Each structure stands twice: as C-alpha cells, then as structure tokens.
Amino acid sequence: GRFERADKGTIFLDETGELPPQAQVRLLHVLQRKEIERVGGTRSIHVDIRVISATPRKLQEMVGSWQFREDLWFRLNVFPIMIPPLRQRKDDIPSLVHHFIHRKSMELKLKERPKLASDAIDRLTAYDWPGNVRELENTIERALIQHRAGGPLSFEALLPLAVSRHSGVVQGPGRDESLDPLKDVTVRHIRNALEKTKGKISGPGGAAQFLDINPSTLRKRMKKLGIPYGRQSWRPGS
C-alpha cells in the first residue's frame, strides 16, 4: 500500500538490513519490474517511485555471509551515502542537544526550558553514543522527565562515567580512574540495561528498546561479548 501511495514520489525504507529472505525477494521484484500487487489482488500495478533505503548494518559483508541477496544489494547500492556515526562527529552534539531540549520541552509541555549544567556538554561529548542520534535524543528526553524544577539539567545519573577528552581518564562522581577499555564499558552498559529490564531483550520495556537498538543486533553483540541472553540464562550479576 505504501508503494502505491508513493507513486510519482519517493519511498523511504528503513532498517533494510533486517529484511527476511522472502521480503528481500519481493522488494527485488518491485525494484526490477516497477510493479506491485495488492494483497489478494489479481493484477499488477505499475509504480514510478524513487527508493531511499537506510541501514546501520554493512550489507556488503552480509552478502558475503549469505544473509542478504547480492542482486538486491546491487539494486539498492546505486548512489551510496555513508553517514558517519555520532562518535565521529562529536562537534554536532552541542547543536543537537539544544535542538532536542527545545523540541522535547515543547512535547512535554514544560513551562520553562531548563539550563544545562556546567559539565553537561563535556559529559555528553565524552560518551561514544553506540545508539547514535536516537540514543542522544532519548537521553535528553529522560533527563527532562527526571529534571527537578529550578535546577540545572544534568546527565550525571544517566551517564555516570564520562571520558574526558582533555585528560584521557574516566571521571566518576567524586573520583578519577584510568580509562577502561571500550569493551568493558559496553558490557557494563548492556548489563545495566538487563538489570533494569530483568533480562528481557525485545518488546516493550526490553533492553533493546531501552538502548534504542534492534533486538537482533543486541543479541549478536551480547553473543560476541559473552553475555548470556534469555530470561532463563540471565541472572542479576551474571
């Protein structure tokens, strides 16, 4: 239906790398033939559309491991645009922070927009943001929800460990520590999410939603890091 509505226009397909094999075949047929069929329909409908697709996954590597069709990859990879992750463009963080504070304050119907704490931008810039801009947006919203009127907007509770760009150390509340390996920080971050969700990964209230990443991506990352998943295999502190 959305392809039919997009006729003479543009359709945006997000998370293309998560398409199951059968959906990849159907999408390939649409791109090759420029025709669709309604569910239960008996005739083909011609569509003239421009397709823009996006995915955080490396489709070329997925082709090599037989997870993504090579012919569909060639059809989609006509004019690739690589967008660097937020950790590689941290100069954008201050502007994004002010934008999200303004927008989320209006959505939450706050009477006044809170001012940022003196160390807020440094703390946000020090974090690597594995969930990219979506994670930053969600962090801003959580901070606004938890914010107490009259005080500055602080992210100390949400990002208790912040890597200083200048000193190269991890600064926790009231102490300095040597820089932890990124793997250890990631493991702690995922375990904290599992603690909050009692081991639940997918669905409403799951760790994937809390971390703002795809559940299958989170499971693969947990497997790579040696973190057991599933309610039966996970226990607090495991």
Side-chain angles (χ1 to χ4, degrees):
R2 295 190 183 277
F3 275 92
E4 187 172 356
R5 289 171 56 189
D7 188 30
K8 308 299 182 185
T10 301
I11 186 169
F12 174 64
L13 305 177
D14 199 6
E15 300 291 353
T16 313
E18 305 300 329
L19 285 174
Q22 290 183 343
Q24 293 181 33
V25 174
R26 292 196 295 269
L27 177 57
L28 177 62
H29 288 171
V30 173
L31 297 179
Q32 286 181 331
R33 302 172 183 174
K34 297 184 179 180
E35 291 180 344
I36 61 171
E37 287 186 7
R38 293 174 181 168
V39 176
T42 57
R43 65 182 183 89
S44 296
I45 301 173
H46 179 79
V47 288
D48 179 13
I49 54 176
R50 175 176 58 182
V51 176
I52 299 176
S53 65
T55 178
R57 306 186 67 180
K58 297 180 179 180
L59 294 185
Q60 195 166 11
E61 294 181 5
M62 293 177 65
V63 169
S65 59
W66 303 98
Q67 295 177 285
F68 200 83
R69 293 183 62 97
E70 185 177 32
D71 43 9
L72 178 57
W73 156 247
F74 286 127
R75 281 288 181 181
L76 292 173
N77 195 39
V78 176
F79 193 88
I81 300 175
M82 305 301 294
I83 300 177
L86 189 57
R87 65 178 177 273
Q88 294 180 10
R89 48 189 177 97
K90 291 191 173 183
D91 290 343
D92 291 345
I93 289 179
S95 297
L96 288 169
V97 169
H98 290 293
H99 166 72
F100 288 136
I101 289 177
H102 174 72
R103 194 173 79 180
K104 295 299 180 180
S105 295
M106 294 179 62
E107 292 178 2
L108 295 171
K109 295 182 171 53
L110 300 182
K111 294 181 179 179
E112 295 182 0
R113 275 183 287 167
K115 295 182 178 180
L116 287 168
S118 58
D119 67 339
I121 293 296
D122 287 338
R123 185 178 292 274
L124 293 170
T125 305
Y127 184 56
D128 272 342
W129 301 106
N132 288 308
V133 176
R134 290 179 184 175
E135 185 183 4
L136 175 62
E137 181 180 6
N138 290 347
T139 300
I140 299 295
E141 185 171 7
R142 285 198 296 271
L144 289 171
I145 292 172
Q146 298 174 5
H147 176 256
R148 293 184 179 180
L153 189 63
S154 173
F155 300 90
E156 184 173 341
L158 298 176
L159 300 174
L161 296 175
V163 182
S164 171
R165 291 181 300 169
H166 307 293
S167 63
V169 299
V170 175
Q171 298 178 339
R175 71 180 187 276
D176 289 346
E177 302 174 359
S178 59
L179 180 62
D180 289 338
L182 179 60
K183 176 182 175 181
D184 294 346
V185 175
T186 304
V187 168
R188 284 201 301 269
H189 196 57
I190 292 176
R191 289 190 188 279
N192 286 338
L194 292 171
E195 291 279 355
K196 294 178 182 294
T197 62
K198 298 181 180 179
K200 182 180 179 182
I201 294 179
S202 59
Q209 184 183 60
F210 185 80
L211 296 172
D212 196 25
I213 63 176
N214 188 278
S216 63
T217 303
L218 177 57
R219 291 189 184 96
K220 291 178 182 177
R221 190 168 299 178
M222 290 172 64
K223 183 178 181 180
K224 184 177 180 180
L225 294 172
I227 304 174
Y229 58 85
R231 296 194 183 194
Q232 299 301 320
S233 61
W234 182 87
R235 295 291 185 275
S238 62

